Amino acid sequence: MATSVRATGGGSAPPAAQAPGSSAGPGTPRQRPPGRSGWRSTLYRLDLKAVPYVFVAPFFLTFAAFGLFPLIYTGWLSLHRVELGGSAQWKGLENYRSLATSEFFWNALANTFTIGVISTVPQLLMALGLAHLLNYKLRGRGFFRVAVLAPYATSIAAATLVFAQLFNTDYGLINTVLGWVGFEPVAWESSKWPAQIAISVIVTWRWTGYNALIYLAAMQAVPQDLYEAAALDGASRWRQFLSVTIPSIRPTILFTVIVSTIGATQLFGEPMLFGGSVGISGGSGNQFQTLSLLMYEKGWVTGALGQASAIAWVMLLLLLLIGGVQALISRSNHKRSQRNRSSGRSGRIRTKAGS
Amino acid sequence: MARTLDSTTAGTPRARRLRSSAGRQHHAGPLTYVLLGLAALVSLFPLYWNLVAASHTGERVVKAPAPLLPGPRLFDNLAFAWNQVDMGEALVNTTIVAGLVALSTVLFSTLAGFAFAKLPFKGRGALLALVVATMTIPPQLSVIPLYQIITDLGWVDQLQSVVLPSLVAAFGVFFMRQYLIEALPVELVEAARVDGAHSLRIIWHVVFPVARPAMAVLGMLVFVQAWNDFFWPFIALTPDGNPTLQVALAGLGAGNHTVDQAVVLTGALISTLPLLLVFAVLGKHIVGGITAGAVKN
């Protein structure tokens, strides 16, 4: 269906140019064969010109219908007072203003930030270390790689339900083990920081192995002679890791930082299911309510779709802001590393290794 | 096993040089094995404990100290979860959704990836940049209008409301483009054209055969993602209607049906086991796929 629409749309110029030729075609018998081959070559040109657009069309049509249109519509909704099934009422920036004065919003924003930091930073640092270990010549490397990737096969729901039991204050294994070491039981769900740490542990558990494999692949593309040169200069293994490995895979690190940041900003399932019956409000005192949870609560529990839309747009603006800052950092890093490059050759390797 | 990663760049001079110098790679010391063993233990223990918890009674699971060894109730719990809370139906639904999403994503991503990699057309660079840019838009931005749309269409609890928005993904388009840029010589396409093949024939006889390994990897990755997807299915489907496994699980966990934690965790086990089996069998290919997709970014 979409094919025929796109085909005529993409190749409208050639048929128009063909029209006079084909009307002249039937005039004499001798002109007919060139006429037919002209038609065929038009078809051929149409095939060449239109087909790329036909091939990329499914993505853009899907995106337009389920991504772009809703994105804009959410923006429109955020300027209105809307309830499910009701008609919209213009409110201007009122939804945003009420967010700015809502302690729930600032609480959710702060929670999203703190959970994001305490899940992303340890996760990526541990992934780096893990990748470094996996990069050694190993027996059973296949087993280790698949083992650390296994959590990635687990869904948010399954992982969170298992960890909610492990973190249970009264009978959970984690408090039992802490008890053996002489610690008092921790109220993992009801106190603020323990709850945020527990949620971060779930996120970290699921994603560390995945990130480690991404780093590992980047590390394997670092030329061995860079290490040899560093070793000749007397650099220790640790020094080599800091001065050769890390700079060489910097683009990959940046990629994982961006992906993890996006994921952390959207955190929803882990806090919701970790909280059990009070999950949607992020615990009895909203102590781990994230922006996504607050948005869900506003939209589907309270029914204030306009306010929920405003929260969604704030999330996009936040991501754009974070993305902008990260782009600035990476650009200044890039400039610095360009200045530091001793030769054109190592520069070429560096760009090839990462991007 | 070890060759998986190398094979993604096999053939390039750099890869050959790497392999020739691989003999000088450091051997792992005992500490490395200890640390990696610890990492493997931490990764696998929650999965093991899930199995343990699913094999006890609900009362036993919530009594300190929590059980560490499998109990006798696994099959009872499985039967209960299967019959009483429709895990079977959820399993079927999830398989349908993940299968359709994987199939259509692979097909459309291959076509678009081929166009972006090898076909010249106006606006190619800008459109590709747009594809990549869409990856950063959080799903939260579209759920409210989407929910209104599926409500108006009467699609709440219908699987198509989960399948349609995921028909093709920017990641897949980008992934296939990266693969085809290197794997498909443009001469092959041109030769086929000279022979008079039209685009569909070229797709069928040239692009698909070349792209098959990447299509398999992408299919697995998308299948895993669709299988585990939570946010939008949780909104579009209800535990009582036509849930996917994740939605059914969320219903179990929130105590809608039961507060028997052993049954809840049996549900978690049912949702995890199929993918874990796939990982156990195809693990090295998936590892290779993830690294291949990431390192070229």
Side-chain angles (χ1 to χ4, degrees):
Chain A
M1 295 291 260
T3 307
S4 62
V5 172
R6 273 304 181 124
T8 48
S12 55
Q18 176 61 18
S22 59
S23 69
T28 59
R30 213 191 296 160
Q31 268 174 321
R32 193 166 284 160
R36 196 185 296 154
S37 77
W39 180 78
R40 283 192 74 168
S41 79
T42 303
L43 205 67
Y44 173 75
R45 245 181 300 141
L46 192 72
D47 187 38
L48 270 189
K49 283 211 147 164
V51 151
Y53 296 103
V54 175
F55 285 172
V56 300
F59 173 81
F60 286 101
L61 291 177
T62 309
F63 173 66
F66 300 111
L68 186 63
F69 162 71
L71 175 84
I72 295 165
Y73 192 68
T74 303
W76 182 85
L77 279 177
S78 75
L79 303 174
H80 290 75
R81 179 205 188 91
V82 211
E83 273 153 31
L84 262 182
S87 57
Q89 197 184 335
W90 174 258
K91 295 249 288 187
L93 290 175
E94 185 53 39
N95 284 325
Y96 293 93
R97 234 173 280 142
S98 75
L99 278 189
T101 56
S102 154
E103 57 175 306
F104 292 107
F105 169 74
W106 290 108
N107 171 56
L109 184 65
N111 288 343
T112 307
F113 179 78
T114 52
I115 297 176
V117 169
I118 59 179
S119 61
T120 306
V121 174
Q123 177 196 135
L124 295 183
L125 287 177
M126 275 162 39
L128 263 180
L130 204 53
H132 183 66
L133 295 179
L134 287 168
N135 201 19
Y136 282 115
K137 265 182 92 79
L138 280 174
R139 280 170 191 282
R141 63 204 282 180
F143 164 76
F144 286 123
R145 284 175 186 178
V146 174
V148 299
L149 190 63
Y152 171 72
T154 320
S155 69
I156 288 174
T160 307
L161 292 174
V162 170
F163 272 93
Q165 295 303 308
L166 294 176
F167 274 115
N168 187 281
T169 306
D170 301 320
Y171 56 82
L173 266 179
I174 290 171
N175 271 353
T176 307
V177 172
L178 286 179
W180 292 341
V181 197
F183 283 97
E184 292 291 305
V186 179
W188 289 108
E189 202 202 288
S190 52
S191 358
K192 178 169 175 149
W193 284 104
Q196 298 204 358
I197 289 170
I199 290 164
S200 304
V201 166
I202 305 172
V203 178
T204 304
W205 179 75
R206 278 190 73 225
W207 290 103
T208 300
Y210 178 87
N211 284 309
L213 289 173
I214 290 178
Y215 289 149
L216 174 64
M219 284 179 186
Q220 296 203 326
V222 180
Q224 202 66 28
D225 42 6
L226 285 184
Y227 291 104
E228 282 159 19
L232 279 181
D233 289 345
S236 66
R237 291 236 183 128
W238 175 240
R239 189 74 228 171
Q240 290 176 28
F241 179 70
L242 288 184
S243 309
V244 178
T245 309
I246 299 290
S248 301
I249 67 168
R250 185 175 283 147
T252 308
I253 294 177
L254 187 74
F255 167 76
T256 57
V257 168
I258 292 171
V259 170
S260 312
T261 308
I262 293 173
T265 313
Q266 304 166 12
L267 207 64
F268 175 78
E270 291 92 342
M272 195 203 89
L273 291 166
F274 184 75
S277 55
V278 285
I280 284 165
S281 45
S284 42
N286 309 105
Q287 69 271 26
F288 49 90
Q289 186 168 47
T290 58
L291 282 176
S292 286
L293 277 176
L294 182 65
M295 185 200 117
Y296 182 84
E297 191 182 36
K298 287 275 181 223
W300 277 267
V301 182
T302 317
L305 291 178
Q307 284 194 25
S309 303
I311 296 172
W313 260 83
V314 167
M315 287 172 67
L316 180 67
L317 297 178
L318 266 178
L319 277 175
L320 289 176
L321 191 74
I322 296 168
V325 170
Q326 281 169 343
L328 279 179
I329 292 173
S330 90
R331 190 174 303 164
S332 74
N333 272 344
H334 187 68
K335 272 191 192 142
R336 202 185 312 146
S337 71
Q338 257 177 345
R339 248 181 279 131
N340 290 346
R341 268 170 201 168
S342 48
S343 68
R345 201 182 142 273
S346 73
R348 183 179 58 83
I349 287 164
R350 221 167 260 172
T351 34
K352 269 190 95 174
S355 43
Chain B
M1 293 290 238
R3 286 273 78 94
T4 329
L5 285 167
D6 300 344
S7 71
T8 59
T9 48
T12 66
R14 186 161 51 92
R16 247 176 272 134
R17 187 152 45 83
L18 267 179
R19 199 167 305 157
S20 71
S21 64
R24 274 165 286 166
Q25 203 180 357
H26 296 303
H27 280 270
L31 184 63
T32 304
Y33 284 103
V34 170
L35 290 174
L36 280 178
L38 212 62
L41 188 71
V42 170
S43 293
L44 296 177
F45 180 77
L47 299 171
Y48 165 76
W49 191 78
N50 189 357
L51 177 71
V52 170
S55 65
H56 284 278
T57 60
E59 296 86 55
R60 178 63 192 93
V61 171
V62 298
K63 215 170 74 190
L68 280 172
L69 293 173
R73 296 261 312 172
L74 180 61
F75 292 101
D76 298 324
N77 284 337
L78 280 176
F80 186 81
W82 195 267
N83 296 324
Q84 298 295 304
V85 282
D86 287 341
M87 288 309 281
E89 187 201 4
L91 190 64
V92 172
N93 284 341
T94 311
T95 311
I96 293 172
V97 167
L100 285 177
V101 168
L103 268 181
S104 100
T105 303
V106 167
L107 174 69
F108 290 140
S109 299
T110 308
L111 294 181
F114 168 57
F116 280 124
K118 297 291 165 180
L119 300 178
F121 60 97
K122 218 179 252 181
R124 185 167 84 166
L127 288 179
L128 183 66
L130 187 61
V131 170
V132 175
T134 62
M135 283 197 248
T136 59
I137 300 175
Q140 279 78 357
L141 270 153
S142 46
V143 294
I144 294 168
L146 278 186
Y147 185 72
Q148 288 193 322
I149 292 171
I150 65 166
T151 312
D152 290 345
L153 291 172
W155 282 5
V156 174
D157 280 340
Q158 304 291 309
L159 293 185
Q160 66 264 34
S161 58
V162 179
V163 174
L164 285 179
S166 307
L167 281 181
V168 53
F171 165 76
V173 174
F174 192 67
F175 181 88
M176 290 310 301
R177 172 187 174 267
Q178 298 302 91
Y179 181 80
L180 286 173
I181 278 183
E182 281 185 29
L184 179 64
V186 76
E187 293 81 10
L188 216 57
V189 181
E190 280 163 6
R193 280 213 202 282
V194 170
D195 287 347
H198 52 75
S199 294
L200 279 183
R201 282 182 71 96
I202 293 177
I203 282 289
W204 192 254
H205 293 291
V206 180
V207 178
F208 280 173
V210 170
R212 195 174 294 145
M215 288 166 86
V217 165
L218 179 63
M220 285 188 295
L221 292 179
V222 173
F223 189 86
V224 170
Q225 211 176 335
W227 185 282
N228 286 335
D229 196 13
F230 183 68
F231 184 62
W232 171 240
F234 176 74
I235 290 171
L237 310 173
T238 58
D240 299 316
N242 220 356
T244 58
L245 280 169
Q246 314 310 331
V247 180
L249 261 185
L252 280 178
N256 284 358
H257 294 271
T258 169
V259 282
D260 186 329
Q261 291 298 341
V263 173
V264 172
L265 292 169
T266 306
L269 189 70
I270 293 176
S271 83
T272 310
L273 222 45
L275 280 191
L276 273 185
L277 288 177
V278 171
F279 266 57
V281 175
L282 300 173
K284 57 176 182 172
H285 296 287
I286 297 173
V287 167
I290 286 173
T291 50
V295 75
K296 289 173 186 168
N297 258 295

